[in-house]
Amino acid sequence: MNEKAIEIKDLHKTYRQGFWLSKKKTLFGISLEVNKGEIFGFIGPNGAGKSTTIKVLTGLLRKDCGDVLILGKDPNESKNRVSLGYLPEQPYFYDSLSGYELLNFYGGLSGLKGKLLKERIDWALTLVNANADWIHRRLRTYSKGMQQRIGLAQAILHKPQLLILDEPMSGLDPLGRRDVREAILTLNKEGSTIFYSSHILGDVEAISSRVAMIIDGKISHTGTIDEITKETGRGSLEEVLAKEVSRVVD
């Protein structure tokens, strides 16, 4: 039996919003499993529940009900997140720091110090192909692509067993997307399980072991690319997603 990096069973999540704090349900009993060693893509349209699911997995949101485990443990316990790396879709960093200072700070939070910390920073920067010309500039001067590279670098400094990325290719040019894809593949070869969301379905098809598709807060398909396209009779994930979205709208 394959060991599980992520286990979600019958997960429900409701938000309260507006002046009257009315309830809006976002997740409707979703279930999925990610095996250790996989690169697992999580896809769906805007508002489908991808980021909400990720925030529950990382302990940033509390579930209404259901079971959620990362590496066999409850993500709401901070001690259980030691082996987790995370990059949110819209990270906020202290923009008065340089990129290198930021990594030094986050490395310290992860328990790294001295020679090992410097080695890990150099390793992470090389992996994400960060340019030495801008790594010592203030973060407030960084483009979206630079911020994504630094964000990924901080997420992997401690070489996590499980890496969760929310839209890691967002805002990147084709070369940047290539660098992130190659970084994900390298990290996976070195032992990290990768769970990531993305709107760029071509990249998902290129690197994912399996994928799950979420539509309107419910999982519609899970499996390899071939399994999903054969099951639906479609030629690509883009065609499958378009069909699922139109079905919900209709």
Side-chain angles (χ1 to χ4, degrees), residues 114-134:
K115 181 180 178 181
L116 178 59
L117 174 56
K118 184 181 185 305
E119 289 175 350
R120 288 289 182 85
I121 291 174
D122 292 341
W123 165 79
L125 291 173
T126 300
L127 189 62
V128 302
N129 201 18
N131 193 319
D133 292 339
W134 52 262

Side-chain angles (χ1 to χ4, degrees), residues 13 15 26-27 42 44-58 60-61 86-90 164-167 195 197 199 214:
K13 177 60 184 174
Y15 286 100
T26 305
L27 301 178
F42 194 40
N46 289 335
K50 299 188 300 298
S51 291
T52 297
T53 303
I54 284 175
K55 287 176 181 176
V56 172
L57 284 172
T58 54
L60 294 174
L61 285 178
Y86 172 51
L87 174 63
E89 181 178 5
Q90 296 179 322
I164 297 180
L165 309 172
D166 196 354
E167 296 290 345
F195 180 84
S197 70
H199 285 103
I214 184 169

Side-chain angles (χ1 to χ4, degrees), residues 22-183:
S22 57
K23 292 182 179 180
K24 180 182 179 182
K25 196 156 189 176
T26 305
L27 301 178
F28 297 82
I30 71 169
S31 297
L32 64 86
E33 294 181 341
V34 177
N35 298 320
K36 285 186 177 180
E38 285 192 298
I39 300 175
F40 197 100
F42 194 40
I43 63 175
N46 289 335
K50 299 188 300 298
S51 291
T52 297
T53 303
I54 284 175
K55 287 176 181 176
V56 172
L57 284 172
T58 54
L60 294 174
L61 285 178
R62 297 279 180 168
K63 63 183 185 286
D64 294 347
C65 60
D67 297 317
V68 178
L69 297 176
I70 57 166
L71 302 171
K73 299 176 182 178
D74 182 356
N76 290 315
E77 296 289 335
S78 59
K79 63 182 180 181
N80 295 338
R81 297 195 293 267
V82 172
S83 298
L84 172 67
Y86 172 51
L87 174 63
E89 181 178 5
Q90 296 179 322
Y92 174 79
F93 299 129
Y94 302 111
D95 64 4
S96 61
L97 298 178
S98 70
Y100 197 93
E101 289 169 339
L102 181 86
L103 295 181
N104 196 66
F105 172 71
Y106 277 106
L109 292 180
S110 299
L112 302 172
K113 56 185 178 180
K115 181 180 178 181
L116 178 59
L117 174 56
K118 184 181 185 305
E119 289 175 350
R120 288 289 182 85
I121 291 174
D122 292 341
W123 165 79
L125 291 173
T126 300
L127 189 62
V128 302
N129 201 18
N131 193 319
D133 292 339
W134 52 262
I135 194 61
H136 292 288
R137 283 167 40 191
R138 300 300 172 192
L139 288 163
R140 65 170 64 96
T141 69
Y142 281 20
S143 67
K144 173 66 172 176
M146 293 174 185
Q147 291 178 10
Q148 285 293 97
R149 291 172 192 268
I150 289 298
L152 180 56
Q154 66 79 26
I156 65 175
L157 276 176
H158 59 303
K159 295 191 175 182
Q161 294 180 46
L162 173 61
L163 181 60
I164 297 180
L165 309 172
D166 196 354
E167 296 290 345
M169 287 100 167
S170 175
L172 296 177
D173 61 21
L175 290 178
R177 285 167 45 204
R178 180 205 63 189
D179 288 342
V180 171
R181 288 196 306 269
E182 291 181 355

